[in-house]
Amino acid sequence: MSTQSTATRMTIAKALNAGMRAAMERDPKVVLMGEDVGKLGGVFRITEGLQKDFGEDRVVDTPLAESGIMGAAVGMALRGYRPVVEIQFDGFVYPAFDQIVSQVAKMHNRSLGALKVPMVIRIPYGGGIGAVEHHSESNESYFAHTAGLRVVTCSGTEDAYWMMQQAIASDDPVVFYEPKRRYHERGVLDLGEGGGSSLEDAPHALEDAVVRVEGSDVTVLTYGPMVKVAHAAAQAAELEDGPSIEVVDLRSLSPLDVDVIEASVRKTGRCVALSEAQTFASITSELAAHVQEHCFYHLEAPVLRVGGYNIPYPPSRHEEVFLPDLDRVLHAVETVLAY
């Protein structure tokens, strides 16, 4: 592979595809599984072209049976493969929930470390696509609560490419959340002088949080589809000579990168936790609890949470009311500054 530095613009969808392709080229034990991932290339075309290039033995179209898909993947992982399982939509994961929390998450601990379950569970998540029931949910808190699972989510092109490969290479089971309404947004992927030939070229470790926007007055902790909203809020505040907002992209929801989180909040003294998910018993709840426990003497105001309302996900015509937007984020920022 060329050692010349290369940078290109591509969508998150294409970056995820390229990440899986790179992992499959690097390790013949990487196998993709899921409903319509092969000939169709997935409903969002994330796996497009991979069955053609790697064959039906490595890109497997499965029956419409999430529990069966997950059970088969567990067996394959125990036999040395690295299955990458696609759950077609976030709301379809529940038939596989028992397999994930009872087997995938516990096998390594149950065997006292003798067995590993290296697998990636890909879940397109979140709203904003005008879909019907069971197609727009943010259920990441269920899996972040489950000991034994890594839970990560990308927010842009570069992370989509590198985090997918890092997740596949991990010996831990990884639940990989993909912000579906951001699939077709473009970003820059710079493979660096090494041309992306090694995971050592990745700019961040899988569990790292990253400060996306530097600020001094308020920290906004967020992830996945809400990173763009937080970034827009920071820009809007800057244009209006308003508060300086620091945006932290968590990237990893379990484990959390508490060092980056705490350093940012200690600098700004104020914090807003933001996600699409309902706020009750959520990632934002954990963030608020952690910050108030570990940064108490640096806080100038209580931590506020901004998220979806505590109702079942509404019909698509009401999505704009349910999902946090720029105004709700700026209102929370103004509220914590008013203390």
Side-chain angles (χ1 to χ4, degrees), residues 192-245:
E193 295 182 359
S197 59
S198 170
L199 287 179
E200 294 180 359
D201 296 333
H204 307 288
L206 184 62
E207 64 272 12
D208 287 352
V210 175
V211 177
R212 300 296 185 191
V213 180
E214 296 277 354
S216 58
D217 295 328
V218 181
T219 295
V220 175
L221 303 174
T222 190
Y223 56 91
M226 283 287 103
V227 172
K228 183 177 181 179
V229 177
H231 193 279
Q235 289 181 317
E238 183 179 14
L239 288 173
E240 297 294 328
D241 293 323
S244 174
I245 299 174

Side-chain angles (χ1 to χ4, degrees), residues 27-100:
D27 185 351
K29 292 293 188 180
V30 176
V31 178
L32 310 188
M33 304 170 58
E35 299 161 6
D36 298 319
V37 299
K39 289 182 173 61
L40 183 66
V43 292
F44 296 104
R45 304 300 187 266
I46 306 302
T47 55
E48 189 170 36
L50 296 179
Q51 189 182 73
K52 174 179 174 291
D53 294 339
F54 292 96
E56 295 183 7
D57 290 339
R58 294 190 63 194
V59 183
V60 182
D61 280 318
T62 66
L64 305 182
E66 285 78 12
S67 181
I69 296 168
M70 199 61 58
V74 170
M76 294 179 70
L78 292 173
R79 293 300 299 268
Y81 289 90
R82 291 183 178 270
V84 181
V85 175
E86 179 184 293
I87 301 297
Q88 201 168 67
F89 284 90
D90 35 32
F92 295 0
V93 74
Y94 302 116
F97 191 79
D98 177 48
Q99 295 278 12
I100 297 171

Side-chain angles (χ1 to χ4, degrees), residues 16-305:
L16 289 166
N17 181 287
M20 283 185 279
R21 178 179 294 277
M24 295 180 77
E25 290 174 345
R26 187 179 296 118
D27 185 351
K29 292 293 188 180
V30 176
V31 178
L32 310 188
M33 304 170 58
E35 299 161 6
D36 298 319
V37 299
K39 289 182 173 61
L40 183 66
V43 292
F44 296 104
R45 304 300 187 266
I46 306 302
T47 55
E48 189 170 36
L50 296 179
Q51 189 182 73
K52 174 179 174 291
D53 294 339
F54 292 96
E56 295 183 7
D57 290 339
R58 294 190 63 194
V59 183
V60 182
D61 280 318
T62 66
L64 305 182
E66 285 78 12
S67 181
I69 296 168
M70 199 61 58
V74 170
M76 294 179 70
L78 292 173
R79 293 300 299 268
Y81 289 90
R82 291 183 178 270
V84 181
V85 175
E86 179 184 293
I87 301 297
Q88 201 168 67
F89 284 90
D90 35 32
F92 295 0
V93 74
Y94 302 116
F97 191 79
D98 177 48
Q99 295 278 12
I100 297 171
V101 302
S102 299
Q103 307 301 331
V104 176
K106 293 180 170 61
M107 191 66 70
H108 185 66
N109 183 267
R110 182 188 301 148
S111 67
L112 301 179
L115 300 175
K116 296 179 180 179
V117 189
M119 61 188 298
V120 175
I121 304 166
R122 295 180 44 238
I123 305 178
Y125 79 120
I129 65 168
V132 296
E133 190 178 18
H134 307 308
H135 289 67
S136 297
E137 298 190 20
S138 296
N139 46 29
E140 58 271 21
S141 296
Y142 289 129
F143 298 112
H145 174 78
T146 304
L149 299 174
R150 287 180 179 264
V151 183
V152 303
T153 180
C154 59
S155 65
T157 295
E158 183 179 72
D159 276 350
Y161 178 76
W162 288 112
M163 290 176 71
M164 179 57 69
Q165 294 181 69
Q166 291 168 324
I168 294 171
S170 173
D171 285 337
D172 297 322
V174 180
V175 181
F176 196 109
Y177 276 97
E178 302 168 5
K180 67 169 86 81
R181 68 165 154 152
R182 307 294 185 208
Y183 270 149
H184 300 296
E185 294 179 1
R186 293 182 177 273
V188 175
L189 175 60
D190 189 349
L191 298 180
E193 295 182 359
S197 59
S198 170
L199 287 179
E200 294 180 359
D201 296 333
H204 307 288
L206 184 62
E207 64 272 12
D208 287 352
V210 175
V211 177
R212 300 296 185 191
V213 180
E214 296 277 354
S216 58
D217 295 328
V218 181
T219 295
V220 175
L221 303 174
T222 190
Y223 56 91
M226 283 287 103
V227 172
K228 183 177 181 179
V229 177
H231 193 279
Q235 289 181 317
E238 183 179 14
L239 288 173
E240 297 294 328
D241 293 323
S244 174
I245 299 174
E246 179 149 298
V247 178
V248 177
D249 181 356
L250 299 177
R251 300 173 76 251
S252 175
L253 307 182
S254 180
L256 290 170
D257 186 351
V258 296
D259 291 338
V260 170
I261 292 169
E262 292 173 17
S264 178
V265 174
R266 286 170 180 153
K267 177 175 71 171
T268 65
R270 293 174 170 84
C271 180
V272 173
L274 168 67
S275 80
E276 284 193 11
Q278 293 89 338
T279 55
F280 184 80
S282 65
I283 300 293
T284 53
S285 300
E286 176 61 29
L287 291 168
H290 183 92
V291 168
Q292 290 178 164
E293 181 178 351
H294 294 273
C295 303
F296 181 80
Y297 291 107
H298 294 81
L299 287 173
E300 301 293 338
V303 179
L304 293 188
R305 294 173 294 155

